[in-house]
């Protein structure tokens, strides 16, 4: 297991080198000159030339590339001109918000979709099965931005149940003492019930909004893999042994059915990061998604490259984690 | 069972780990600490962008400018006048601020400023002549602000004594005092910056202004506290919070629910709905932001004056103002905004008249029409609607407009290259002066004259006006230039935007400035 993990970690290195090169080239061929965007419309040519020099854009491309790699090796992700901060400090303030939102969405998706998928499979063609099919179809089709605006309009504007879509916690409260940067976890850790209530209230709508697509896919996946497993011989044997229905479904079938579901969840993670960009903009959620959108609009290279790199690393680790969990669920897939 | 044990262990671990950290909300509602003296009210404003810098010399976006004006003072400032019951800045009326008075030499090239005595920066350091010299030097060396230094023709800035500053210009410049009233020329606490290092200014304030910066996170909010020792008197608000809310529809919702006291950049389509809410006031002022349809004077057929005039007759002006802008815009009748001193609509004869447009095309030798490329920059909804409506009208006179949509950054780059055949663009002149405005956009050598309009007479008038100290005579020259430009029609004038700010009825004291930046100091709010 350990050797396998190490091997997988080493395999990430060439992939990451590829990503560093590709994102560098991609960001440079993006149309638009960051110096012009930075300077504003009333800037003269010599001001733009000066900014270009400050940014190091006047140097040949390969020189720019090597200085970028050199910075990376020192753990420096570069400077975000459109916010006036180093990318690393921007990430430090924003990444926890995105992680919290994404994790909450995954948890909501799992808690809703897996039970729904199981029920739909075990009661095939029942009313519940049809309802879940309809909702999955809707969930997979509805654009996030539309759903987000609708949620805000209904739950905040009309009903007044949800707090104002402004950030992660009410303006009149202090954020919980910083430990992990995830407000919910931090307020639990410090026993800060006031902050917990407020941050959960702020988190709920965007998290549900972001999880709809994943929820739909995971529910359908759970249902179909459950159906496949239920028809297997060993399930028939379990029933014939006189095991209770709970044991048959919950233990023998579910564990085997979860493997494809896990794969889908892992793949969904990338989609969630993309969806977070839209969700964060709509809910004024101070995460990394809105930040990257702004960076792209301003042709600000460093944050775009850094985000792609960090996302790639995250994605690789999640893939690895998924593969390792396979082994925990099904001893036949242990890697040596 | 096993799972339950594991779970409770996790909870226990969380509590143990957390045991060493303190609860940040031990006393919730910390603001209400005792009711001996009622603190001044607080104000929350929904803003769009998060800003990029606190450094006055580098600030060049709306939010950064707002942050700077809240925390810094300048040598001089603009007066305020009342127009149609609304308070608006009077940019021609230059008032003392940190400088109590100034003298001008006979040839208008030397200004001697006397600084008010006893003024202090927020740090407690004295405001003195050295700090003024230092602040001006920072502007001259900056990236964003340095062009204004050149625009003001500043040659040298010297401290004559502790409270006297002498500024010498290369040549007489009537815009000089207007330019140094801008946020760029804020006076910076030299001693503090030298202690902390120059980067300190990027994220901290070092000024003498009415508010101190408590927190600024471009991702979520900026918080300002009143500077109660402010030399003009304590602000009427104890705290101002800017909430950065990119989604315009959310700004409208927040304002409607009174979760914010003010919201800027209200979309035109939402104005009517907000006006129905009796708790709110919507201030819609004619701004200096103009929108024009530019045609490259070097490219056929737009090198022909008659063709450009024909385009001017084919624009559905009323549709643009009423259907696209919901009436939150005003017709534009000169290259210069109608709020700018020296504006004239002389020479403006255009209206929506397709027969006239056809006639002009025929005279120009394009009876069959022609086809041309139009570049649409992204980021502004109204531009897109305008382009499509204009395209439809032009089609009726046989002119085919090929719309090519590009991202904002790409648009700015292509525009700068000066090869775009036609495009729509907006412009706000930071300095409310026709010389500044035309010098950028339509003077032959203008740095933002991307359509190569070059008329010898206009150039000559502009140069003469620049050297003319008498305002009335100067404006006469600018008016002549405007008339020629309007007749030759390098642009089609689309509209002047309104600056729309929504606020709760409890808020008062709002003053509109042509640079569209919100000043907090005049604002107050009923408890």
């Amino acid at each position: 297991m350990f050797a396998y993990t190490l091997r997988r970690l080493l395999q990430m290195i060439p992939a990451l080198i590829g990503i560093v090169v590709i994102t560098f080239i991609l960001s440079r061929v993006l149309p638009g000159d960051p110096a012009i965007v930075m300077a504003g419309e009333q800037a003269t040519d010599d001001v733009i030339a000066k900014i270009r020099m400050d940014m190091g854009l006047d140097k040949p491309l390969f020189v720019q590339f090597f200085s970028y790699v050199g910075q990376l090796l020192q753990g420096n992700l570069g400077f975000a001109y459109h916010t006036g901060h180093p990318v690393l400090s921007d990430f430090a303030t924003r990444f926890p918000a995105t992680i919290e939102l994404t994790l909450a969405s995954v948890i909501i998706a799992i808690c809703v979709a897996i039970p729904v998928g199981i029920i739909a499979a075990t009661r095939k063609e029942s009313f519940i099965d049809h309802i879940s099919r309809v909702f999955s179809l809707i969930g997979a089709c509805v654009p996030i931005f539309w759903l987000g605006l609708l949620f805000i309009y209904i739950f905040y504007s009309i009903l007044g149940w949800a707090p104002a879509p402004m950030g992660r916690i009410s303006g009149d409260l202090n954020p919980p003492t910083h430990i992990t940067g995830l407000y919910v976890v931090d307020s639990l850790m410090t026993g800060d019930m006031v902050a917990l209530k407020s941050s959960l209230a702020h988190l709920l709508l965007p998290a549900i909004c972001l999880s709809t697509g994943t929820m739909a896919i995971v529910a359908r996946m759970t249902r179909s893999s459950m159906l496949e497993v239920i028809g297997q011989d060993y399930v028939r044997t379990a029933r014939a042994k006189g095991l209770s229905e709970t044991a048959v479904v919950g233990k023998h079938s579910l564990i085997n059915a979860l493997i494809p579901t896990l794969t889908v969840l892992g793949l969904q993670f990338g989609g969630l990061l993309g969806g977070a960009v839209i969700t964060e903009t709509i809910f004024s959620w101070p995460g990394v998604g809105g930040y990257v959108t702004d960076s792209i609009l301003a042709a600000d290279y460093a944050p775009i490259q850094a985000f792609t790199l960090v996302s790639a690393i995250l994605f690789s680790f999640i893939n690895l984690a998924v593969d390792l969990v396979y082994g925990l669920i099904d001893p036949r897939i242990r890697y040596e | 069972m096993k799972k339950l044990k594991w779970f409770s262990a996790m909870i226990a671990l969380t509590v143990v780990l957390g045991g060493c950290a303190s609860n940040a909300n031990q006393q919730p509602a910390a603001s209400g600490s005792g009711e001996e003296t009622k603190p001044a009210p607080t104000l929350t404003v929904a803003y769009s962008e998060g800003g990029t810098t606190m450094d006055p010399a580098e600030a060049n976006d709306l939010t950064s400018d707002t942050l700077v004006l809240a925390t810094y003072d300048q040598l001089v400032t603009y007066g305020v006048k009342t127009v149609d019951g609304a308070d608006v800045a009077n940019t021609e009326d230059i008032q003392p601020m940190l400088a109590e008075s100034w003298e001008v030499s006979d040839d208008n090239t030397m200004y001697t400023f006397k600084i008010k005595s006893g003024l202090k920066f927020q740090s407690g350091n004295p405001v003195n002549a050295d700090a003024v010299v230092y602040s001006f030097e920072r502007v001259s060396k900056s990236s964003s602000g340095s062009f204004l230094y050149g625009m003001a023709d500043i040659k040298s800035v010297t401290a004559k004594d502790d409270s006297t500053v002498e500024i010498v210009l290369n040549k007489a410049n009537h815009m000089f005092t207007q330019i140094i009233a801008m946020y760029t020329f804020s006076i910076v606490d030299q001693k503090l910056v030298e202690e902390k290092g120059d980067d300190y200014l990027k994220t901290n304030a070092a000024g003498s202004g009415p508010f101190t910066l408590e927190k600024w996170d471009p991702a979520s909010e900026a918080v300002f506290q009143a500077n109660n020792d402010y030399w003009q008197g304590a602000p009427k608000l104890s705290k101002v919070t800017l909430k950065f809310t990119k989604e315009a529809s959310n700004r409208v919702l927040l304002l409607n629910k009174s979760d914010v006291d003010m919201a800027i950049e209200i979309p035109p389509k939402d104005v009517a709905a907000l006006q129905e809410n009796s708790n709110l006031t919507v201030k819609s002022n004619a701004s200096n932001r103009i929108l024009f349809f530019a045609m490259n004077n070097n490219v056929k057929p737009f090198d022909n004056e008659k063709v450009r005039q024909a385009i001017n007759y084919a624009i559905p002006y009323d549709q643009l103002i009423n259907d696209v802008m919901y009436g939150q815009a005003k017709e534009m009748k000169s290259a210069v905004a109608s709020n700018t001193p020296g504006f004239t609509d002389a020479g403006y004869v255009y209206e929506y008249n397709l027969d006239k447009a056809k006639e002009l095309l025929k005279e120009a030798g394009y009876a069959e029409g022609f086809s041309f490329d139009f570049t649409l920059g992204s980021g502004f909804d109204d531009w897109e609607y305008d382009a499509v409506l204009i395209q439809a009208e032009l089609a009726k006179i046989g002119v085919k407009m090929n719309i090519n949509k590009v991202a904002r950054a790409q648009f700015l780059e292509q525009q700068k290259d000066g090869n775009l055949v036609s495009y729509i663009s907006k412009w706000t002149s930071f300095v409310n002066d026709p010389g500044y405005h035309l010098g950028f956009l339509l003077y032959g050598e203008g740095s933002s004259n991307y359509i190569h309009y070059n008329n010898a007479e206009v150039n000559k008038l502009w140069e003469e006006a620049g050297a003319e100290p008498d305002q009335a005579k100067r404006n006469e020259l600018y008016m002549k230039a405007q008339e020629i430009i309007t007749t030759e029609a390098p642009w089609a004038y689309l509209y002047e935007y309104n600056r729309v700010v929504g606020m709760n009825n409890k808020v008062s004291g709002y003053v509109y400035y042509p640079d569209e930046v919100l000043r907090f100091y005049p604002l107050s709010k009923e408890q």
Side-chain angles (χ1 to χ4, degrees):
Chain A
M1 200 69 160
F2 175 74
Y4 168 76
T5 311
L6 195 69
R7 199 167 63 237
R8 283 287 302 268
L9 287 174
L10 289 174
Q11 280 167 358
M12 280 183 201
I13 294 171
L16 290 178
I17 290 174
I19 282 164
V20 167
V21 175
I22 290 168
T23 50
F24 178 85
I25 294 169
L26 274 183
S27 66
R28 290 308 186 277
V29 299
L30 261 184
D33 180 341
I36 294 177
V37 177
M38 269 297 300
E41 281 173 304
Q42 317 200 1
T44 47
D45 289 343
D46 47 343
V47 167
I48 291 169
K50 188 170 181 290
I51 293 178
R52 204 171 274 136
M53 228 166 74
D54 291 346
M55 289 178 157
L57 296 174
D58 53 338
K59 297 188 180 74
L61 262 192
F62 68 91
V63 174
Q64 286 184 45
F65 177 73
F66 284 116
S67 74
Y68 165 60
V69 173
Q71 278 182 345
L72 267 187
L73 292 175
Q74 293 164 26
N76 178 355
L77 293 176
F79 190 79
Y81 288 94
H82 81 285
T83 64
H85 292 68
V87 175
L88 203 57
S89 79
D90 277 340
F91 273 9
T93 55
R94 289 173 170 86
F95 240 109
T98 300
I99 299 276
E100 181 166 52
L101 180 61
T102 316
L103 277 180
S105 306
V106 169
I107 291 168
I108 291 172
I110 291 174
C111 291
V112 175
I114 292 181
V116 166
I118 295 169
I119 293 168
T122 48
R123 295 176 182 51
K124 198 169 163 232
E125 301 302 332
S126 69
F127 177 70
I128 293 184
D129 187 20
H130 292 308
I131 286 281
S132 82
R133 182 177 300 134
V134 170
F135 271 97
S136 299
L137 194 66
I138 293 172
C141 298
V142 166
I144 286 189
F145 69 87
W146 182 81
L147 192 71
L149 291 172
L150 186 77
F151 274 4
I152 290 172
Y153 185 65
I154 294 174
F155 295 107
Y156 163 69
S157 215
I158 297 180
L159 298 172
W161 295 351
M166 288 195 297
R168 304 169 67 187
I169 195 160
S170 294
D172 50 3
L173 296 179
N174 302 321
T177 315
H178 186 95
I179 302 169
T180 58
L182 311 183
Y183 282 10
V184 173
V185 178
D186 286 354
S187 37
L188 271 176
M189 280 176 145
T190 53
D192 189 342
M193 287 306 132
V194 184
L196 178 66
K197 197 172 148 209
S198 178
S199 44
L200 275 176
H202 279 82
L203 179 62
L204 196 62
L205 275 193
I208 292 176
C209 182
L210 181 55
S211 68
T212 45
T214 309
M215 229 187 289
I217 291 167
V218 172
R220 299 310 289 163
M221 198 71 211
T222 310
R223 178 184 179 271
S224 61
S225 53
M226 228 14 219
L227 280 175
E228 202 174 311
V229 170
I230 285 174
Q232 301 280 0
D233 288 350
Y234 62 85
V235 175
R236 206 174 51 197
T237 311
R239 283 217 173 87
K241 279 196 307 192
L243 283 179
S244 71
E245 193 60 19
T246 325
V248 172
V249 173
K251 203 164 172 189
H252 290 68
S253 324
L254 181 61
I255 286 193
N256 286 304
L258 273 184
I259 289 185
T261 309
L262 254 177
T263 314
V264 168
L265 258 179
L267 289 174
Q268 276 296 303
F269 186 81
L272 284 174
L273 272 181
V277 172
I278 301 164
T279 315
E280 286 177 4
T281 307
I282 287 171
F283 286 90
S284 308
W285 189 262
V288 90
Y291 173 68
V292 171
T293 317
D294 289 352
S295 310
I296 292 171
L297 289 175
D300 201 346
Y301 299 148
I304 302 173
Q305 289 165 198
F307 178 72
T308 319
L309 189 61
V310 172
S311 304
I313 293 172
L314 268 176
F315 207 68
S316 310
F317 272 103
I318 284 174
N319 273 336
L320 176 60
V322 167
D323 287 348
L324 293 177
V325 174
Y326 284 161
L328 292 179
I329 291 179
D330 188 343
R332 289 173 304 177
I333 326 182
R334 291 276 153 91
Y335 305 97
E336 292 313 330
Chain B
M1 213 54 235
K2 210 161 52 178
K3 272 204 188 86
L4 197 70
K5 267 194 200 136
W6 188 80
F7 185 72
S8 31
M10 276 298 289
I11 295 281
L13 183 71
T14 311
V15 173
V16 169
L17 277 177
C20 50
S22 59
N23 177 338
N25 289 297
Q26 213 86 54
Q27 297 115 346
S31 53
S33 53
E35 290 296 308
E36 313 93 48
T37 50
K38 215 171 178 184
T42 61
L43 185 83
T44 312
V45 190
Y47 245 66
S48 46
E49 302 294 329
T52 59
T53 180
M54 281 293 304
D55 185 339
E58 299 294 357
N60 71 355
D61 65 271
L62 187 77
T63 303
S64 301
D65 302 346
T66 307
L67 305 178
V68 167
L69 283 169
T71 48
Y72 288 89
D73 291 323
Q74 298 74 39
L75 275 183
V76 294
T77 190
Y78 305 121
V80 176
K81 62 184 176 189
T82 307
V83 179
D84 306 332
D87 288 336
V88 298
N90 182 357
T91 49
E92 293 164 273
D93 171 24
I94 301 296
Q95 293 282 341
M97 197 167 193
L98 292 177
E100 62 182 4
S101 63
W102 56 96
E103 282 162 13
V104 190
S105 66
D106 290 341
D107 63 353
N108 291 312
T109 57
M110 193 167 89
Y111 288 74
T112 312
F113 290 92
K114 199 101 192 110
I115 296 161
K116 283 195 181 81
S117 60
L119 297 185
K120 293 221 173 337
F121 286 110
Q122 292 170 356
S123 64
N125 295 330
V127 178
N128 55 20
D130 287 342
V132 175
V133 173
Y134 174 80
S135 306
F136 274 63
E137 267 171 11
R138 285 194 77 256
V139 176
S140 73
K141 285 189 273 197
S142 67
S143 298
S144 292
S146 52
F147 83 95
L148 286 163
Y149 201 86
M151 188 71 64
D153 284 315
I154 300 171
K155 186 172 166 185
S156 67
V157 183
T158 34
K160 287 284 152 201
D161 60 45
D162 209 32
S163 65
T164 315
V165 178
E166 189 179 85
I167 301 180
V168 178
L169 307 187
N170 294 317
K171 58 179 200 287
N173 182 332
H174 64 273
M175 291 190 284
F176 167 71
T177 48
Q178 263 198 59
I179 292 176
I180 62 165
M182 287 174 65
Y183 37 84
T184 310
F185 288 89
S186 295
I187 306 305
V188 176
D189 188 342
Q190 177 183 7
K191 244 172 103 178
L192 184 69
V193 179
E194 282 170 352
E195 276 166 32
K196 303 265 186 187
D198 205 60
D199 275 352
Y200 178 79
L201 287 177
K202 283 184 179 153
T203 48
N204 296 280
S208 54
F211 289 89
T212 58
L213 179 72
E214 187 192 318
K215 173 191 173 188
W216 171 45
D217 170 18
S220 56
E221 62 180 10
V223 183
F224 297 91
Q225 294 285 1
N227 168 12
N228 288 323
D229 304 327
Y230 187 51
W231 59 275
Q232 296 195 75
K236 300 187 259 322
L237 300 163
S238 62
K239 182 173 148 185
V240 177
T241 308
L242 298 184
K243 288 280 184 187
F244 303 128
T245 313
K246 275 209 181 55
E247 193 62 46
S249 60
N250 283 353
R251 291 199 294 275
V252 174
L253 289 180
L254 291 167
L255 185 65
N256 241 329
K257 298 268 290 183
S258 299
D259 277 325
V260 296
D261 303 306
M262 268 178 113
I264 65 157
E265 294 181 46
I266 304 278
K269 67 174 173 21
D270 294 314
V271 171
L274 285 177
Q275 279 167 334
E276 279 171 24
N277 183 337
S278 59
N279 298 325
L280 303 178
T281 309
V282 180
K283 301 263 186 187
S284 185
N285 298 83
S287 80
N288 287 24
R289 204 166 5 127
I290 56 170
L291 186 74
F292 54 89
F293 182 103
M295 297 165 264
N296 194 326
N297 289 224
N298 279 358
V299 176
K300 268 188 175 337
F302 293 133
D303 56 347
N304 185 326
E305 184 181 310
K306 285 205 159 57
V307 172
R308 299 195 302 261
Q309 288 167 341
I311 301 284
N312 267 273
Y313 278 107
I315 307 267
Y317 297 101
D318 289 348
Q319 244 185 331
L320 301 190
I321 290 174
N322 297 323
D323 300 351
V324 177
M325 292 304 291
Y326 295 82
Q328 299 303 319
K330 194 173 142 192
E331 52 190 345
M332 176 179 165
K333 293 189 166 181
S334 164
V336 173
S338 57
N339 270 341
T340 305
F343 156 88
T344 176
D345 63 1
Y348 191 84
V349 292
Y350 309 105
E351 55 178 356
Y352 172 63
N353 183 339
L354 291 182
D355 295 336
K356 185 99 185 142
K358 267 196 202 133
E359 205 176 298
L360 282 161
L361 280 183
K362 205 165 149 186
E363 283 174 37
Y366 291 95
E368 299 306 307
F370 60 92
S371 123
F372 72 98
D373 289 332
F374 172 90
T375 307
L376 174 64
S378 71
F380 304 95
D381 289 347
D382 61 308
W383 296 18
E384 204 159 329
Y385 302 137
D386 294 340
V388 172
L389 288 172
I390 293 169
Q391 183 186 39
E393 296 306 322
L394 291 177
K396 292 177 190 169
I397 56 170
V399 175
K400 189 165 178 289
M401 168 169 155
N402 312 310
I403 299 181
N404 170 26
K405 194 173 172 182
V406 297
R408 175 84 182 149
Q410 194 180 357
F411 173 75
L412 290 174
E413 190 177 29
Q414 292 182 349
Q415 192 189 32
K416 237 191 171 45
D417 290 343
N419 300 325
L420 290 183
V421 178
S422 70
Y423 58 87
I424 286 178
S425 191
K426 65 174 170 65
W427 185 275
T428 313
S429 273
F430 294 144
V431 181
N432 196 11
D433 182 278
Y436 179 95
H437 187 85
L438 297 173
F440 266 108
L441 292 161
L442 293 158
Y443 174 60
E445 304 290 305
S447 60
S448 299
N449 180 355
Y450 307 121
I451 50 158
H452 314 290
Y453 175 71
N454 198 351
N455 175 301
E457 201 180 344
V458 168
N459 296 347
K460 201 169 119 257
L461 286 164
W462 184 84
E463 285 156 16
E464 271 174 33
E468 173 60 64
D470 180 79
Q471 191 180 3
K473 282 188 190 151
R474 196 167 61 224
N475 283 345
E476 222 162 277
L477 298 168
Y478 286 136
M479 284 176 181
K480 271 191 199 138
Q482 286 172 67
E483 187 174 358
I484 297 167
I485 293 166
T486 301
T487 305
E488 295 203 331
W491 300 346
Y493 304 146
L494 302 185
Y495 44 78
E496 297 181 351
Y497 285 93
N498 274 17
R499 175 69 179 166
V500 185
V501 176
M503 60 192 81
N504 200 299
N505 290 338
K506 291 179 181 161
V507 179
S508 55
Y510 171 71
V511 182
Y512 164 78
Y513 283 79
D515 56 19
E516 301 193 24
V517 182
L518 180 63
R519 275 75 168 170
F520 303 151
Y521 187 60
L523 295 173
S524 60
K525 184 182 146 189
E526 284 169 42
Q527 287 284 32

